[in-house]
Amino acid sequence: PLALALEVIEATVKSIMLEQPSVVHSFLSKVADALCAYASYQIDSGAQVIQLFESWAHHLDEDLWRVFAEPYAERVASYLKMNYPYVPIVYFAYGGSAYLDAQVNMSVDALGVDHFISMGTARAILDSIFDNENGDDGRYIEKGCPKWNRNRNV
């Protein structure tokens, strides 16, 4: 939601975040609701996975991310998990790997990482939190989606 809001009103939103946060929250709320409807349409039309891509996260420190990005991404993810529990949700905050550990409690099935963090560091953060209950060979880490059947055809 934050990336879309920033694209719509451009970079001026960061100064508005600090000076008039209620305006940004109101706008982000509307964007998140629109994304819930749009992603639902995508799933109803056959999408088998949804990625929430926060392309402007690299402009935020962890504190700003927690206030302006996480709540709205979480709103979308929670809505989709409630209504489409079989559809995996991936969250990727470009530049957000610096606070990857802050993302692990989101209602998503996977987290994307970027070049701002080494794979070893990312794995150490995620392995310490996620059980590797699927017995995989370590090439990927999955939080787990009990109703996700990898062989499901839509």
Side-chain angles (χ1 to χ4, degrees), residues 131-136 140 142-144 150:
D131 289 333
N132 202 348
E133 64 189 42
N134 295 326
D136 67 53
Y140 65 92
E142 181 183 314
K143 183 175 178 180
R150 288 189 184 98

Side-chain angles (χ1 to χ4, degrees), residues 1-14 16-17 24-25 27-33 35 52-74 76 91-94 99:
L2 177 65
L4 186 57
L6 288 169
E7 292 293 338
V8 170
I9 56 178
E10 299 184 10
T12 57
V13 78
K14 191 164 182 186
I16 297 171
M17 282 179 185
V24 177
H25 285 294
F27 187 63
L28 287 169
S29 182
K30 290 173 180 28
V31 171
D33 291 344
L35 287 175
L52 301 174
F53 181 32
E54 202 65 83
S55 62
W56 284 63
H58 63 289
H59 291 283
L60 306 176
D61 62 21
E62 182 177 341
D63 292 335
L64 286 175
W65 175 83
R66 285 185 182 274
V67 172
F68 292 105
E70 180 186 27
Y72 303 100
E74 178 62 28
V76 175
Y91 181 72
F92 176 58
Y94 176 73
Y99 40 85

Side-chain angles (χ1 to χ4, degrees), residues 5 25 32 38 42 46 50 54 76 87 93 112 114 118 140 148:
H25 285 294
Y38 179 73
Q42 291 295 318
I50 295 291
E54 202 65 83
V76 175
V87 175
D114 54 34
S118 72
Y140 65 92
W148 177 22

Side-chain angles (χ1 to χ4, degrees), residues 36-114:
C36 288
Y38 179 73
S40 295
Y41 173 77
Q42 291 295 318
I43 294 168
D44 292 340
S45 297
Q48 296 180 354
V49 64
I50 295 291
Q51 178 172 308
L52 301 174
F53 181 32
E54 202 65 83
S55 62
W56 284 63
H58 63 289
H59 291 283
L60 306 176
D61 62 21
E62 182 177 341
D63 292 335
L64 286 175
W65 175 83
R66 285 185 182 274
V67 172
F68 292 105
E70 180 186 27
Y72 303 100
E74 178 62 28
R75 181 190 299 186
V76 175
S78 295
Y79 173 87
L80 294 174
K81 290 314 301 175
M82 182 175 52
N83 291 287
Y84 304 94
Y86 56 87
V87 175
I89 308 298
V90 178
Y91 181 72
F92 176 58
Y94 176 73
S97 293
Y99 40 85
L100 183 63
D101 57 331
Q103 300 170 32
V104 298
N105 291 320
M106 295 180 70
S107 301
V108 298
D109 302 296
L111 295 169
V113 295
D114 54 34

